[in-house]
Amino acid sequence: MPPPTSPVLVTKIKVQLKLAIARLRMVQKRDEALAKAQRRAMAQLLEQNKVDSARIRVENIIRSDIITELHEILELYCELLLARAGLLEASPTCDPGLEEAVKSIIYAAPKTEIKELQTVRTLLAEKFGKDFVLQATENTDGKVSEGVVKKLSVTPPKDELVQGYLEEIARAYGVDWPKGKNKELGDPPDFMDDDDENPSGGQAQRVLEEPLVAVDEGAAAELKAQEELSNATPPKSFGPASPLHVNPPSPSTDNIHPKVTLNRMELTTPTKKPVAAARKPVEKKGDGVPDLDELTKRFAQLKR
């Protein structure tokens, strides 16, 4: 028979749940930062072709990701208990809507580094009794979440999972591992348009090349005018060749070899600068004074 419910005890549980949620979030951020550094180290090992060392060390990354997922589940359970705190005060026994969350926290708290979660476990044991805690610890009735039990198991990761992690890390950091894997599918199709020949895009050209069926003379003339306009190109000396400038991102821990791609094709920044229009020098006489005839011609052009 569990002890009677005390309002003070429920208040303590609510306070410790809030502290546990804050601690779980902080630990998740810390583990994510450490995982980024570990992934970058794995990419360097693969780039140096130290595959055996990478396969051993990547298990630490897998285990860290599993613990992070466990913390996310426990955080959700703490938020659930906090939202349903009224059910804790209503009855001295555990409500069926809280049983999975309560027993999962009691089962997982001793196996984590979160001290606030262990305090919550102690308070829940004080509320529901020793028999309830023993039942949750041994999971005799199977009420503990299956995901929590699985993530707390100590079985080594499968070879397929290790291989998948290494390939994903290599892809994220631009490392060609396994060698030639990125070339098995061949070159990507060319979807980019030729800026010099057809700046308006290939779609409009394909539409114009299709046979015109049941189109009156006015529509045909309009389509012909659009075709002439699409084929017209500005002079090469007028501004840059393309108004689009692509600047690659700066290197970061997530991507040590940043690239900018469009439809699987790498884009590069234009290196050619626009050529300024050459200005015609003014003819001068021997004393450095411009010719009067030349100035007259220029004024006449300006009046036009």
Side-chain angles (χ1 to χ4, degrees):
M1 181 74 180
T5 305
S6 171
V8 178
L9 180 60
V10 175
T11 303
K12 290 182 180 179
I13 293 175
K14 291 168 65 176
V15 171
Q16 291 300 322
L17 284 173
K18 293 179 181 179
L19 295 176
I21 290 172
R23 176 68 67 177
L24 285 167
R25 291 175 180 174
M26 185 180 66
V27 171
Q28 290 176 39
K29 292 181 180 179
R30 181 203 65 186
D31 293 343
E32 288 175 0
L34 293 176
K36 289 181 180 180
Q38 292 176 349
R39 281 175 166 80
R40 183 173 60 180
M42 291 301 101
Q44 293 176 354
L45 290 177
L46 293 176
E47 193 171 11
Q48 298 170 3
N49 202 21
K50 297 181 180 179
V51 181
D52 295 335
S53 179
R55 287 185 180 277
I56 296 175
R57 296 185 182 183
V58 78
E59 293 187 8
N60 294 328
I61 299 178
I62 297 175
R63 188 60 191 170
S64 177
D65 289 349
I66 292 175
I67 296 300
T68 300
E69 294 173 359
L70 173 65
H71 289 164
E72 292 176 355
I73 296 175
L74 294 178
E75 179 187 347
L76 292 176
Y77 281 144
C78 289
E79 291 179 350
L80 178 63
L81 292 181
L82 192 60
R84 299 180 180 179
L87 296 177
L88 295 175
E89 299 176 355
S91 175
T93 58
C94 184
D95 188 90
L98 300 177
E99 190 172 5
E100 180 180 343
V102 171
K103 289 190 175 181
S104 297
I105 292 176
I106 293 176
Y107 178 86
K111 303 177 177 64
T112 63
E113 59 175 330
I114 312 299
K115 295 181 179 180
E116 291 80 1
L117 208 60
Q118 298 175 10
T119 305
V120 172
R121 181 182 187 273
T122 303
L123 295 174
L124 291 174
E126 183 179 349
K127 174 174 174 54
F128 296 115
K130 295 182 179 179
D131 294 337
F132 183 87
V133 174
L134 182 62
Q135 188 180 25
T137 303
E138 297 178 355
N139 194 21
T140 55
D141 56 355
K143 295 295 184 178
V144 179
S145 172
E146 183 179 355
V148 173
V149 176
K150 183 178 180 180
K151 294 183 186 305
L152 285 174
S153 62
V154 293
T155 56
K158 298 181 180 180
D159 295 338
E160 294 82 2
L161 183 60
V162 173
Q163 182 72 14
Y165 258 74
L166 291 176
E167 292 181 0
E168 182 64 22
I169 291 173
R171 185 194 64 80
Y173 286 88
V175 179
D176 186 13
W177 188 89
K179 297 294 183 181
K181 181 177 178 60
N182 297 330
K183 300 179 181 179
E184 292 179 356
L185 299 178
D187 296 332
D190 186 7
F191 294 109
M192 299 185 67
D193 300 325
D194 192 353
D195 293 338
D196 294 335
E197 298 295 335
N198 190 7
S200 62
Q203 184 176 2
Q205 185 179 3
R206 289 196 300 270
V207 173
L208 295 176
E209 289 177 353
E210 294 179 355
L212 300 177
V213 180
V215 180
D216 56 2
E217 296 180 358
E222 184 178 355
L223 289 176
K224 185 177 181 181
Q226 291 180 359
E227 182 179 2
E228 293 177 355
L229 182 60
S230 63
N231 292 330
T233 57
K236 295 184 179 181
S237 60
F238 179 74
S242 175
L244 179 62
H245 295 273
V246 180
N247 294 324
S250 57
S252 62
T253 56
D254 292 329
N255 191 359
I256 56 177
H257 301 294
K259 295 180 180 179
V260 179
T261 59
L262 177 63
N263 294 331
R264 298 183 180 180
M265 297 191 67
E266 183 179 357
L267 301 181
T268 57
T269 56
T271 57
K272 296 182 180 181
K273 296 182 178 180
V275 180
R279 184 175 297 177
K280 183 179 180 180
V282 181
E283 297 181 1
K284 299 182 179 180
K285 292 187 178 181
D287 55 355
V289 180
D291 189 5
L292 183 59
D293 296 336
E294 182 65 23
L295 291 177
T296 304
K297 294 180 180 179
R298 291 176 61 181
F299 279 118
Q301 292 178 357
L302 290 175
K303 289 181 181 181
R304 294 178 183 176

